[in-house]
Amino acid sequence: MLLCLHGIGSSSAAFAPQLAALSDTFRVVAWDAPGYAKSADPQGPLTMNDYADAAADVIRARGGRAHVLGVSWGGVIALRLAARHPDLVESLMVLDSTPGSGTDPDKAAGMRARADELARLGPEAFAAARAPRLVSADAPPQLVERVTATMAASVRLPGYGHAAEAMAATDLRGELHRITAPTLVLCGDKDHVTGPDSSQVLAGGLHKTAYVIVKDAGHLANQEQPERVNAWLLSHLHIATDHRTPHQKG
């Protein structure tokens, strides 16, 4: 199984290009995180451990082990999942991600301020202001519209606020060395949200890793350059499953 974990301003809809390209080979599951899109609102605040444990529950309910693909915030969840539940994670693919906003006080403060911004603007205006930054300046207008519409339909309080607080409180740098799953780290060369530097920190801290820069892509490389990203994902998945017997694959 391949479990896909979306970014903080998105939903399962972000993985449409991967569902289309990878479902013939793997059982692909994309979640709406707690408090997002079609998922129920959480009953209280959630930490990064809570999100990782929720993802672990999804894997257990569907067979017991998975390859995990995470974009941005979803990548942070994926890495914490691999640290907390190594028995559930076959491999990792971490796209345009970061060790967390807790690595820097200014980043943490900026992340925490997002909930107030969402409350003040509402989902549609919030998405209109933020979504265009997630792709490169050369992205087609249709993609910008789709990313904006996805964000507007996905984010709401309190879920978004809990996610932002979890990001602000997280610094993965001290636990990366504990992650044993083979990991592919990708980053768009025009990602100005988390950026290649953050992805390099992840790649440098992990034991079994490959690091790839995706040309002509912003923060949402999997949506802006799906063919290039999917090729790398498939290559990684085939390598990661080569050592397993045929009946175990997928």
Side-chain angles (χ1 to χ4, degrees):
M1 184 181 85
L2 170 61
L3 175 62
C4 302
L5 308 176
H6 60 78
I8 198 168
S10 195
S11 71
S12 56
F15 295 105
Q18 284 66 56
L19 288 164
L22 307 180
S23 291
D24 286 346
T25 310
F26 294 87
R27 182 159 57 114
V28 184
V29 175
W31 83 346
D32 292 332
Y36 278 76
K38 296 180 180 179
S39 286
D41 291 338
Q43 296 184 354
L46 299 175
T47 66
M48 197 61 71
N49 285 347
D50 293 325
Y51 290 110
D53 292 348
D57 289 341
V58 173
I59 295 172
R60 290 192 187 99
R62 288 163 173 79
R65 282 178 72 81
H67 304 277
V68 183
L69 165 62
V71 173
S72 194
W73 173 58
V76 180
I77 297 172
L79 290 162
R80 178 59 60 82
L81 167 67
R84 283 175 66 81
H85 304 281
D87 56 314
L88 298 180
V89 178
E90 193 77 36
S91 76
L92 291 169
M93 291 142 284
V94 180
L95 278 62
D96 295 278
S97 194
T98 166
S101 301
T103 58
D104 178 88
D106 291 337
K107 289 181 180 179
M111 184 60 68
R112 289 188 170 102
R114 291 189 184 191
D116 289 338
E117 184 182 355
L118 176 57
R120 185 176 71 254
L121 295 177
E124 291 188 1
F126 181 82
R130 284 198 167 270
R133 309 175 198 172
L134 303 180
V135 295
S136 75
D138 299 321
Q142 304 96 305
L143 176 59
V144 178
E145 292 171 6
R146 187 164 69 247
V147 169
T148 303
T150 296
M151 183 181 292
S154 303
V155 300
R156 63 180 185 271
L157 297 174
Y160 185 86
H162 296 333
E165 176 58 37
M167 274 292 280
T170 298
D171 180 354
L172 296 175
R173 292 176 296 180
E175 63 197 79
L176 293 174
H177 69 281
R178 302 205 316 264
I179 296 173
T180 57
T183 305
L184 174 65
V185 177
L186 295 93
C187 186
D189 64 344
K190 298 179 180 178
D191 180 354
H192 300 300
V193 178
T194 54
D197 288 350
S198 291
S199 288
Q200 286 172 0
V201 170
L202 297 178
L206 293 161
H207 286 302
K208 302 174 184 176
T209 185
Y211 177 57
V212 174
I213 290 287
V214 182
K215 286 188 62 180
D216 302 320
H219 186 60
L220 301 182
N222 69 302
Q223 296 183 64
E224 190 166 357
Q225 294 293 340
E227 291 185 2
R228 293 175 183 173
V229 169
N230 289 343
W232 282 108
L233 296 179
L234 279 169
S235 177
H236 166 84
L237 287 164
H238 287 313
I239 291 170
T241 56
D242 266 352
H243 68 286
R244 298 163 60 191
T245 56
H247 71 276
Q248 292 176 305
K249 290 192 177 185

